Amino acid sequence: LTGVLDDCLCDIESIDDFNTFKIFPKIQKLQERDYFRYYKVNLKRPCPFWADDGHCSIKDCHVEPCPESKIPVGIKAGSSNKYSKAANHSKELEDCEQANKLGAVNSTLSNQSKEAFIDWARYDDSQDHFCELDDERSPDAQYVDLLLNPERYTGYKGPSAWRVWNSIYEENCFKPRSVYRPLNPLAPSRGGDDGESFYTWLEGLCLEKRVFYKLISGLHASINLHLCANYLLEETWGKPSWGPNVKEFTRRFDPIETKGEGPRRLKNLYFLYLIELRALSKVAPYFERSVVDLYTGNGHEDAESKALLLEIFRDTKSFHMHFDEKSMFAGDKKGAKSLKEEFRLHFKNISRIMDCVGCDKCRLWGKLQTQGLGTALKILFSEKEIQNLPENSPSKGFQLTRQEIVALVNAFGR
């Protein structure tokens, strides 16, 4: 894949170079640190759009649970949304000084912790959320260790998986029913069209709606790439073996096999990367304040995590071909405002569709990456609020929960 991306002045080779040598090694290290490997998620929320067609019974779809004793004290001690020492209770810290290694899933919380969750949840975030957020106070919300539950192909496929993506594209990408996506099995056969009519339609859209489609397509490509790269190859002596499946990758992305569609999907992945990279460079001032520590209860590790995160921010700022979001929602105020709201509601709907994914592991990573992208969009539309943050106190104008921070870093890491 080579050349310039549409809708931004950036070439693929520059992104590859920048990512491989500067960003990827550091973001990979960051994802392994306690603060970022640990995500709270409710995998039991019912699908709001259609009757549940039963959860995946394949054992590799399961998300691995884990005892509470493994969860870092600073994360479980109080409000899961806060990230500074001041937000947590010293008594609970003393009780659990040793518990600074992470586990996968925690479903039990003390009453004191529950009260702390509720206090913080009452805080009314004045920013528009782009995602339907899980209620972290729900007894069904569990802590998951992302390193123990990697994103990979579990065998989940077929009508259930197809319906999720079809619903996302058909109902939430500003697309009329009469326009068919390339390679859509429901499209009437039109001889040699190969999706050209779809791209003629896409080019006719305003920039914002075109960007929306590309972000969703990029997210889809990212998930598919990870499934191809970490595929269930065979079971030997009852032990599963995972690895790259070149044949599956070719089927999904090869220019000839996909009639030119594969490279477009991959370009949209690069576009998604640029949007999330831009969000990281924009949110740096939020984290540069001394009031923010990435708090787990282990002071030495927390300081190292923050230093590494700030180093990544410096790198993102040094990239010279950022996507310029100023061209978005720049029309007349009234029209721009209603388009932004439409954009937000479409994206929120997509985050709700993730509750319809039948495989728990796929649902976990779908929800995390959708929340990560939703957080990136929230950042890009809050530039003024971020610039006006007070140095030494929590801000009412712009706030990120711990969940959003973890989702943003891990989605970009993907």
Side-chain angles (χ1 to χ4, degrees):
L1 199 67
T2 56
V4 176
L5 292 174
D6 307 329
D7 289 324
C8 48
L9 300 166
C10 192
D11 63 276
I12 280 161
E13 292 83 352
S14 300
I15 301 175
D16 275 343
D17 205 44
F18 174 72
N19 182 60
T20 304
F21 297 107
K22 277 205 159 169
I23 294 292
F24 182 67
K26 290 176 188 171
I27 206 96
Q28 203 177 21
K29 262 195 208 156
L30 197 64
Q31 285 173 284
E32 289 168 2
R33 302 195 75 84
D34 283 3
Y35 188 89
F36 292 99
R37 65 187 272 189
Y38 188 71
Y39 183 62
K40 195 165 195 196
V41 64
N42 182 355
L43 297 173
K44 293 181 181 168
R45 277 171 61 147
C47 171
F49 300 109
W50 54 78
D52 197 355
D53 46 10
H55 270 239
C56 177
S57 57
I58 305 166
K59 69 176 187 300
D60 295 307
C61 285
H62 175 62
V63 169
E64 192 57 44
C66 164
E68 180 174 340
S69 60
K70 296 270 181 90
I71 296 157
V73 52
I75 290 173
K76 71 179 173 184
S79 156
S80 74
N81 289 338
K82 295 233 176 168
Y83 31 72
S84 72
K85 203 177 286 190
N88 293 276
H89 305 294
S90 56
K91 179 187 174 298
E92 286 178 82
L93 298 186
E94 287 156 21
D95 290 351
C96 316
E97 208 54 63
Q98 302 311 311
N100 56 13
K101 277 283 175 276
L102 280 187
V105 177
N106 164 52
S107 54
T108 56
L109 289 168
S110 69
N111 287 336
Q112 197 178 350
S113 294
K114 281 178 186 151
E115 280 160 26
F117 279 113
I118 291 161
D119 285 346
W120 184 244
R122 286 193 194 112
Y123 170 77
D124 178 23
D125 188 348
S126 61
Q127 288 311 304
D128 293 337
H129 279 294
F130 281 78
C131 277
E132 182 83 11
L133 302 177
D134 282 350
D135 179 0
E136 292 176 51
R137 294 162 293 161
S138 161
D140 288 332
Q142 297 180 307
Y143 287 113
V144 173
D145 181 342
L146 298 171
L147 297 185
L148 293 184
N149 295 281
E151 182 182 22
R152 57 191 183 189
Y153 179 69
T154 60
Y156 174 65
K157 59 181 179 182
S160 170
W162 189 80
R163 177 158 62 165
V164 168
W165 283 111
N166 199 51
S167 173
I168 287 171
Y169 284 113
E170 294 301 320
E171 293 155 33
N172 294 286
C173 284
F174 302 97
K175 191 177 75 57
R177 293 270 178 194
S178 55
V179 174
Y180 289 91
R181 284 180 294 127
L183 309 179
N184 185 337
L186 301 181
S189 80
R190 299 195 184 149
D193 181 318
D194 284 350
E196 286 313 310
S197 57
F198 173 82
Y199 285 103
T200 306
W201 164 79
L202 192 64
E203 284 312 308
L205 287 181
C206 65
L207 172 69
E208 292 83 357
K209 291 181 179 179
R210 209 163 53 240
V211 162
F212 191 94
Y213 170 79
K214 287 180 173 183
L215 291 177
I216 300 309
S217 168
L219 186 67
H220 195 180
S222 171
I223 289 170
N224 278 341
L225 268 171
H226 284 99
L227 303 188
C228 297
N230 209 350
Y231 202 89
L232 183 55
L233 298 174
E234 58 182 283
E235 293 226 11
T236 351
W237 305 105
K239 275 202 162 185
S241 145
W242 307 85
N245 184 333
V246 179
K247 193 175 168 192
E248 187 63 28
F249 173 78
T250 308
R251 188 178 75 76
R252 293 173 190 255
F253 295 103
D254 179 77
I256 294 160
E257 287 208 28
T258 62
K259 300 180 179 173
E261 182 60 13
R264 279 168 158 154
R265 292 172 178 172
L266 292 174
K267 277 192 169 184
N268 291 336
L269 173 68
Y270 279 83
F271 186 73
L272 172 70
Y273 179 91
L274 279 184
I275 292 279
E276 293 189 358
L277 181 75
R278 179 67 165 172
L280 284 175
S281 71
K282 290 280 181 186
V283 82
Y286 180 84
F287 289 94
E288 284 160 357
R289 299 174 306 153
S290 56
V291 73
V292 176
D293 3 85
L294 304 172
Y295 185 66
T296 66
N298 179 334
H300 177 67
E301 172 155 324
D302 297 348
E304 283 186 352
S305 296
K306 183 163 179 181
L308 183 55
L309 183 64
L310 295 182
E311 209 179 304
I312 291 168
F313 288 144
R314 281 195 292 279
D315 287 340
T316 63
K317 288 179 186 172
S318 72
F319 187 65
H320 58 286
M321 289 187 283
H322 276 285
F323 174 76
D324 182 11
E325 75 289 347
K326 286 191 176 64
S327 48
M328 286 174 64
F329 306 107
D332 69 280
K333 274 198 170 161
K334 195 177 168 192
K337 194 177 176 190
S338 85
L339 182 60
K340 180 180 171 184
E341 182 58 11
E342 212 184 337
F343 199 92
R344 188 178 74 83
L345 291 175
H346 275 270
F347 196 84
K348 203 164 191 174
N349 222 25
I350 289 172
S351 74
R352 294 173 72 208
I353 293 173
M354 290 299 164
D355 283 320
C356 300
V357 175
C359 157
D360 275 355
K361 200 160 275 176
C362 314
R363 182 184 289 210
L364 163 67
W365 286 100
K367 283 170 80 93
L368 179 132
Q369 288 174 83
T370 311
Q371 188 177 24
L373 176 52
T375 305
L377 293 172
K378 172 175 158 174
I379 291 164
L380 292 179
F381 297 130
S382 308
E383 187 172 12
K384 281 197 190 89
E385 291 81 359
I386 293 170
Q387 283 169 350
N388 296 326
L389 286 169
E391 170 56 39
N392 291 317
S393 62
S395 105
K396 289 280 181 180
F398 176 85
Q399 190 71 53
L400 289 178
T401 66
R402 183 183 165 274
Q403 288 294 96
E404 288 174 310
I405 296 167
V406 173
L408 177 70
V409 165
N410 278 285
F412 184 62
R414 297 276 84 204

